[in-house]
Amino acid sequence: MALTKVHNRMINQNIFDVVDFGADPTGVADSLSAINSAFAACEAAGAGTVLFPPGIYLSTGTVGSSGSTNLTDINIVAYGAKLNSNPAVASNYSMFLSWPNLNSIVVSGVYADCNTKTAFGILINNESATTSCVSAIVEDCQIENIHAIDDASITTNPTGIYINSTFEGDKAIVRNCIVENVTRAKAGLACTGITVTGFRLATVEGNFIQNVRHSGAGGDIADADGIKVFSKYSTVGAQNVYYDINALIQNNVVYDCEGRFVKTQANGQVKIDNNSLRINSTIELIENFVGVDCQTGEGLVTNNDFFFGGTFTGGGSACAYKAQCPAESTNAFRSFTQTFSGNKVEIVKNIPYVILPTTPAGSSTYSFKLYLNILDNIVNVADADSTFTTADQTTERPAYFMYVNNSSWPTAANLNGEMHWKVNGNVVDTYDFLVLTTGSEDYTGKWFLHIHNNVKYPTGFSRNLLNPSTSYTSNLSISGNNIGTNNTGGVYCTFDFTELIAPCDFYNGSGSRTSGPASYAFKNVQFNGAFWKVVDATGIYLSGDCTTWTRVT
């Protein structure tokens, strides 16, 4: 068994075996005092390894830190050992690892059973407000049966594994861990499987998280999330401005979380890749459940497998992915990128939305560039019966692939930046494709919308590509889409022919048209960058400038 190399004060000779301090590896006697004596000895040395030999260790309270300012670097190694956290009534923490001057920590092989009496599995915290934690690693651990009972002594949000650095830390890693059964009876608390906050580099990889629940009692439905990764932030005016980080959330399996599978809040880049995110059981989702809630400056959500089974309740406003941007920060201009690519969303019981795009949080300038890429995703619905009917469109399918609630957008006059959206190569089974909901704004010159080579199936049922809306952009590039039957699947919002972007080849629906032929009761609009072509029931219109149109029959 190799120990991770850490700060130079960590020397191999400083090994503090809990059994040497009187801990009982048979699990019969209470080992709380003995285990904490081993931690105290490590604190006195300033650095070292607290070792749990294989066995079962009964603890009737919290093990770990006494708050010593002397300790800087520590390993906790417990392969083959089980910490039986079994207080008489309740405890806030199973393993509390918080120090004023924590430089580095590695926790390996801890198996903690919290026995539905302890609200927290492993807490790691660097308390210093002026010095970073260089490295915090939790690996190969198993935490189960976390529960916040309804007792005045319980003050903490139930969490499996938590890592924080008060002053921004350098690197945090949680890998190859299991967190199962995070619940609560006490009102107003939020449950989480794994949380990492306050580090410049964060990796959450190869973990299994299952059954993170709110109580639901008396309508007390609070967040219950699988994985959270947050950066530090400062407050500017009314906004929390998040720091830049680089984070990877990869190869995790997250089952049955009633709030979110994954939530991130940060600037910088966060990649959420190749995770299995599933609702399998009879659970109650919070009203605004979000599969991946990506509130990041550059969010890359790629190659994930979403599954919504058939027995959950709640989730009246649920979605698989919400693309949110953090506040613009104090910079005069910020660029944000959100990418949702190569994901598969499998739906047995429908949710109302697949994707909810938003703009950055409000500011006095609205000076941002926003790039939204929705690429090569699959949304599949398992019909309840073998015969597809029109009614199935509304009862078994998400209402929208992309639902744009632009009521919170800046007005066109106040938007000083640009939005560039690419919606390409998606194959989706939803009722509608892309819908704007509110407002009466012309975002031409500020919102550039590229929609190519998408398929909405079953294609035999009539729906629209762009639904009617009083808010719109004429900067459209649309081609190669198969949305519904002939004479459907088209553009039903306002546009100006002169502002179209090549290539365009789409069915024209209703809506106001500017700079087109005198009559716009036509079926097809094409633009190759040099010529505009409009097809109606009996012939063709051609133009090179959208001023003079020539009729060809």
Side-chain angles (χ1 to χ4, degrees), residues 466-483:
L466 281 179
N467 258 27
S469 173
T470 51
S471 288
Y472 63 93
T473 177
S474 294
N475 301 129
L476 303 174
S477 177
I478 301 175
S479 70
N481 300 288
N482 187 356
I483 311 290

Side-chain angles (χ1 to χ4, degrees), residues 253-272:
V253 176
V254 185
Y255 280 15
D256 293 338
C257 298
E258 294 181 323
R260 303 169 185 85
F261 297 125
V262 178
K263 180 178 181 179
T264 63
Q265 287 183 331
N267 269 301
Q269 183 184 95
V270 176
K271 185 172 185 179
I272 303 168

Side-chain angles (χ1 to χ4, degrees), residues 112-128:
D113 185 348
C114 294
N115 288 289
T116 67
K117 295 180 179 180
T118 304
F120 226 104
I122 298 173
L123 177 141
I124 295 173
N125 182 41
N126 170 38
E127 300 170 11
S128 175

Side-chain angles (χ1 to χ4, degrees), residues 59-61 85-91 117 149:
S59 170
T60 57
S85 295
N86 198 5
V89 178
S91 177
K117 295 180 179 180
I149 72 167

Side-chain angles (χ1 to χ4, degrees), residues 20-100:
D20 292 342
F21 287 83
D24 175 15
T26 70
V28 176
D30 185 4
S31 295
L32 174 63
S33 178
I35 293 170
N36 282 335
S37 293
F39 274 98
C42 187
E43 290 174 335
T49 298
V50 175
L51 177 64
F52 290 73
I56 298 174
Y57 299 88
L58 172 64
S59 170
T60 57
T62 300
V63 303
S65 170
S66 70
S68 169
T69 59
N70 192 52
L71 186 132
T72 59
D73 303 276
I74 185 169
N75 281 354
I76 296 100
V77 179
Y79 288 101
K82 177 181 179 180
L83 182 63
N84 183 18
S85 295
N86 198 5
V89 178
S91 177
N92 276 297
Y93 302 98
S94 174
M95 187 171 282
F96 184 76
L97 308 173
S98 179
W99 286 279

Side-chain angles (χ1 to χ4, degrees), residues 227-304:
I227 297 171
K228 289 181 179 176
V229 175
F230 292 0
S231 71
K232 305 300 289 184
Y233 65 86
S234 58
T235 302
V236 179
Q239 300 294 335
N240 292 333
V241 178
Y242 288 87
Y243 298 171
D244 285 354
I245 68 169
N246 191 297
L248 176 64
I249 301 171
Q250 180 174 264
N251 298 330
N252 301 283
V253 176
V254 185
Y255 280 15
D256 293 338
C257 298
E258 294 181 323
R260 303 169 185 85
F261 297 125
V262 178
K263 180 178 181 179
T264 63
Q265 287 183 331
N267 269 301
Q269 183 184 95
V270 176
K271 185 172 185 179
I272 303 168
D273 180 67
N274 201 38
N275 301 283
S276 179
L277 311 170
R278 302 176 68 86
I279 300 295
N280 284 336
S281 302
T282 304
I283 63 175
E284 181 184 13
L285 306 185
I286 64 173
E287 177 69 13
N288 58 339
F289 174 91
V290 179
V292 173
D293 189 351
C294 190
Q295 303 178 38
T296 57
E298 183 177 358
L300 304 173
V301 182
T302 56
N303 307 313
N304 300 284

